[in-house]
Amino acid sequence: MRSANAQAAAGLAEGGGIRGRDCVRDRSGEAGTPQGSPISPLLANVALHVLDQAWQASGQRLGVLVKDADDLVALCATREQTEEARELVAAVLDAFGLRLHPDKTRIAHLARGAEGFDFLGFHHRMRKSWKWRGRWYLQKWPSKRAMASIKGKIRDQTARRLARLPLEDTVDSVNHVVRGWGNYFRYGNSGQKFSQIDGYVHERLAILASTKHGLTGRNWVTRFNDEWCTRIGVYRLSGTVRPTTAYASR
C-alpha cells in the first residue's frame, strides 16, 4: 500500500494516494495468493470483495479506491484521510487473517512531483503543464522495473551466441517482444521511455550484426545506422504513444 495527499478531477491532480503491490499477506508472512498463477487475481478478488463493500460503506468519504487483484491505490485529499484509509484497509484484511505487506506499504506525497508511485507497471508522478500555467497533471510512464524487464528480454533475443542465426529471425523475435510491451505502455506519457527502448534495440542489433560480420564495436553510426534499422524492418515504439493527459508526451 502506498498513500499520499491527493485530489483528482478530470485528469488534473494535486496530491497522491494509497498504493499496494502484492500487498496482501497472511499473518504468517506468506503471500495470500500464489503470485504468477493465472488464478491469483480471481482468488484475490474473492478474498478482497469484502474490502470493496467496506469502502462503499465507509471509505468513499476518504477518497477514491483503485484496485486490481491485490494491488491497490487510494487517492485522498489529506494525510489524515490517507492514514484513516490505511487503517480501514488493514482492519478489513485482519478479519480474514491477512495483513498489508510491511515492505510495500508507504505514504507518498505527490504534490508538485515531490514523490511518485508504481502501479501496474507504470510509474505515476505529477508533472507541471507546459501550456496551462500553475496546473499540474498526474502522468504515467513505464516504471524502472518495467524498463529493466523489457531490456532484459531484448538482451536475451540479441545475445552474441545468436549471431549464427539469420538476422531477419532475430529482428522478428525482437519486434514481437517490443510490440507487445509497447501495446500495453503506449497509453500514457511514455514518449521518452519509448525512445530509450528504440535506441537500446538499435544498439543491441548493431552489436549483433558487428559480431556476425567479424567487426569490433557497435558500428551503429556508420554501417548499422538508423537507415539500416529501417531497411531490415525494425519495429519502432516512437510515435505510438496515446497520451491520456492533455499536453503530456513524456
Side-chain angles (χ1 to χ4, degrees), residues 109-116 125-126:
H109 183 61
L110 299 190
R112 296 181 175 272
E115 295 180 271
R125 188 176 287 264
M126 301 292 291

Side-chain angles (χ1 to χ4, degrees), residues 8-50:
L12 176 63
E14 296 180 355
I18 298 175
R19 153 82 175 106
R21 176 158 187 80
D22 303 333
C23 64
V24 180
R25 302 179 73 84
D26 64 24
R27 287 171 180 158
S28 67
E30 297 299 321
T33 59
Q35 296 302 316
S37 167
I39 199 65
S40 178
L42 176 60
L43 292 176
N45 278 326
V46 171
L48 297 177
H49 176 63
V50 67

Side-chain angles (χ1 to χ4, degrees), residues 111-164:
R112 296 181 175 272
E115 295 180 271
F117 65 92
D118 294 345
F119 185 56
L120 303 181
F122 284 94
H123 180 72
H124 298 72
R125 188 176 287 264
M126 301 292 291
R127 286 291 183 233
K128 191 174 183 178
S129 172
W130 56 265
K131 184 170 184 177
W132 304 109
R133 185 176 180 180
R135 291 190 179 184
W136 290 73
Y137 290 88
L138 184 63
Q139 298 185 6
K140 64 177 183 178
W141 53 84
S143 66
K144 289 182 179 180
R145 184 176 179 180
M147 291 290 287
S149 175
I150 188 61
K151 284 185 176 181
K153 292 177 181 178
I154 294 168
R155 190 165 53 249
D156 289 344
Q157 296 288 343
T158 56
R160 291 178 185 271
R161 68 178 184 279
L162 303 177
R164 59 185 176 80

Side-chain angles (χ1 to χ4, degrees), residues 72-225:
L72 61 90
V73 171
L75 302 177
C76 305
T78 67
R79 185 179 183 88
E80 290 71 22
Q81 288 177 331
T82 295
E83 293 177 347
E84 190 175 346
R86 181 169 58 180
E87 292 173 3
L88 171 62
V89 173
V92 170
L93 296 180
D94 185 66
F96 288 86
L98 302 173
R99 65 186 179 89
L100 294 171
H101 195 300
D103 299 328
K104 299 177 180 179
T105 301
R106 74 180 182 93
I107 294 177
H109 183 61
L110 299 190
R112 296 181 175 272
E115 295 180 271
F117 65 92
D118 294 345
F119 185 56
L120 303 181
F122 284 94
H123 180 72
H124 298 72
R125 188 176 287 264
M126 301 292 291
R127 286 291 183 233
K128 191 174 183 178
S129 172
W130 56 265
K131 184 170 184 177
W132 304 109
R133 185 176 180 180
R135 291 190 179 184
W136 290 73
Y137 290 88
L138 184 63
Q139 298 185 6
K140 64 177 183 178
W141 53 84
S143 66
K144 289 182 179 180
R145 184 176 179 180
M147 291 290 287
S149 175
I150 188 61
K151 284 185 176 181
K153 292 177 181 178
I154 294 168
R155 190 165 53 249
D156 289 344
Q157 296 288 343
T158 56
R160 291 178 185 271
R161 68 178 184 279
L162 303 177
R164 59 185 176 80
L165 300 177
L167 188 60
E168 295 78 8
D169 292 349
T170 299
V171 170
D172 286 344
S173 297
V174 171
N175 283 350
H176 177 74
V177 170
V178 172
R179 183 180 287 108
W181 185 85
N183 284 343
Y184 177 77
F185 286 105
R186 66 178 177 169
Y187 296 100
N189 314 99
S190 305
Q192 289 185 8
K193 300 300 182 182
F194 276 17
S195 180
Q196 290 175 22
I197 296 302
D198 282 346
Y200 187 71
V201 168
H202 181 185
E203 179 183 17
R204 292 297 305 177
L205 288 174
I207 292 173
L208 185 65
S210 295
T211 301
K212 195 176 188 68
H213 290 84
L215 304 173
T216 58
R218 292 170 172 76
N219 302 289
W220 61 341
V221 175
T222 54
R223 183 167 180 175
F224 307 117
N225 53 22

